[in-house]
Amino acid sequence: MLPLNFRSLDLNLLRVFDEVMTERNLTRAAHKLSLTQPAVSNALRRLREVLGDDLVVRSGQGVQPTPRALTLWPPVRQALAQLQQSLAPGDFDPATASSTFVLAMADATGATLIPPLVEIIEREAPGVSVRVVPLTTRDPRSMLDDESADMAVGYFPAVMADLTARAQADSVVAFESVRLYDGEYVCVMRHGHPLAQVPMTLDLYCNARHLLVSFSGKPYGFIDEALTALGRERRIVLTVNQFFTAGRVVTTTDLLTVLPRHFVGVASIAGELVWRPLPMPLPTVHVDALWHRRRLHDAAHRWLRGAMVRSAQPTARRPPLA
């Protein structure tokens, strides 16, 4: 392995590396780069000599990356993307754009934000499409890192705390966010439930039977963490991964569930439900939009961020973010 001298490193080698990692095939990578396959092979050879690692090995009709290459690729990809956006950010005209955005969010969040977002799209960007994918975790950073979503929207307390701590420690922060709105979770039950006519106490709550909404399928949530801190627990008899499903189930059973208060109002089953404040203290629910910093200067993504902010505050009709 030669000593690494960044000043003499040919950055074109990193462009070749990024394309090979994307395509996992030298011929396709060469075509994308408008190079010959021997030129791509030669570039990889030079980068191998500098880094002292094979980077990729042949596998079938393509190549497979080494562990070192898998570790190296994300920062290389991010750096190249930021450089490209800084030097040639491109234009985005909503009126003529045909972009597709992928948003990760729960059904309750979508029920609140998607209708006003569609109004904005129909008015300003009729050629733009949006695809909403399920949010299956309270930490969506991997979805944003591998670009399976352009933006994640939801309640991410652990993620936001981690990002704040990293920023305060002057560590590299790879994600950006904007606060969309604050909400609260409430205890929900059917009309006619035995607990609907009495004040909800902690004892009554813990002695009831519960339905849990868990995006990941784990049999506990932040409500259970709050109860544990009080030395209490609840009996969960059913776990689902959608708020709407939970609402439908409690309309015909004696199960209690916890839903975002705003969702009770927008759900079509609102007339069949009763909500009560939860009998334990909980932190304020902050709903944030989260995205990768590599998209920070992307004109299309900047428009999307502004549209999401306006969707969260439909009466304000705020202009797009600059």
Side-chain angles (χ1 to χ4, degrees):
M1 177 178 177
L2 298 176
L4 178 57
N5 184 346
F6 188 78
R7 291 182 178 181
S8 62
L9 177 64
D10 184 351
L11 296 183
N12 284 318
L13 302 182
L14 299 181
R15 291 184 61 245
V16 172
F17 170 71
D18 177 55
E19 204 62 60
V20 169
M21 290 293 291
T22 300
E23 297 296 331
R24 306 295 168 92
N25 182 283
L26 299 188
T27 301
R28 290 198 298 268
H31 177 73
K32 289 286 190 66
L33 293 164
S34 298
L35 297 174
T36 64
Q37 183 172 328
V40 170
S41 298
N42 182 58
L44 283 178
R45 177 187 60 78
R46 293 169 57 196
L47 194 57
R48 286 187 182 111
E49 292 174 352
V50 172
L51 298 177
D53 189 88
D54 287 337
L55 297 179
V56 295
V57 294
R58 292 196 176 277
S59 176
Q61 299 299 314
V63 294
Q64 289 295 324
T66 65
R68 176 73 189 285
L70 291 172
T71 300
L72 183 64
W73 188 34
V76 167
R77 187 178 181 85
Q78 179 178 348
L80 290 174
Q82 290 178 341
L83 182 61
Q84 179 180 358
Q85 290 166 11
S86 297
L87 296 177
D91 297 322
F92 179 78
D93 181 3
T96 59
S98 58
S99 305
T100 297
F101 298 112
V102 180
L103 307 177
M105 62 179 70
D107 58 329
T109 311
T112 301
L113 295 177
I114 295 303
L117 178 62
V118 171
E119 290 183 12
I120 292 173
I121 291 173
E122 290 182 336
R123 184 173 62 250
E124 300 178 11
V128 164
S129 301
V130 170
R131 182 159 56 92
V132 179
V133 298
L135 185 66
T136 58
T137 175
R138 289 289 184 190
D139 187 350
R141 285 177 287 187
S142 62
M143 300 180 69
L144 302 171
D145 195 39
D146 65 17
E147 299 183 353
S148 57
D150 297 301
M151 178 184 290
V153 182
Y155 177 43
F156 311 126
V159 173
M160 303 311 297
D162 180 58
L163 296 181
T164 299
R166 288 173 181 268
Q168 292 175 345
D170 292 327
S171 300
V172 175
V173 179
F175 301 89
E176 296 280 341
S177 67
V178 64
R179 180 68 39 81
L180 295 181
Y181 60 87
D182 290 341
E184 65 175 317
Y185 281 91
V186 294
C187 177
V188 176
M189 66 198 78
R190 65 174 177 84
H191 275 290
H193 191 286
L195 299 180
Q197 305 302 321
V198 297
M200 179 62 69
T201 66
L202 188 59
D203 284 339
L204 289 174
Y205 185 80
C206 291
N207 290 332
R209 293 159 61 83
H210 293 265
L211 187 163
L212 168 69
V213 179
S214 173
F215 302 150
S216 65
K218 293 180 180 178
Y220 61 89
F222 67 94
I223 296 295
D224 303 285
E225 294 171 354
L227 289 173
T228 298
L230 298 174
R232 306 297 294 269
E233 63 180 356
R234 61 177 176 166
R235 170 79 169 102
I236 297 172
V237 299
L238 177 64
T239 302
V240 300
N241 64 356
Q242 289 185 328
F243 289 114
F244 184 78
T245 301
R248 288 301 312 171
V249 170
V250 298
T251 61
T252 58
T253 70
D254 279 343
L255 299 180
L256 304 184
T257 194
V258 174
L259 299 178
R261 180 178 173 182
H262 69 267
F263 180 64
V264 179
V266 300
S268 60
I269 53 177
E272 304 174 60
L273 299 175
V274 175
W275 68 266
R276 295 288 181 268
L278 286 161
M280 79 286 286
L282 291 174
T284 300
V285 177
H286 301 302
V287 177
D288 296 296
L290 188 69
W291 65 91
H292 203 285
R293 287 202 68 187
R294 72 168 71 98
R295 307 300 301 275
L296 188 61
H297 302 294
D298 184 307
H301 200 277
R302 186 164 58 245
W303 178 86
L304 173 65
R305 300 194 298 266
M308 290 303 301
V309 168
R310 288 183 289 153
S311 297
Q313 302 175 354
T315 58
R317 296 302 179 192
R318 291 167 53 173
L321 295 179

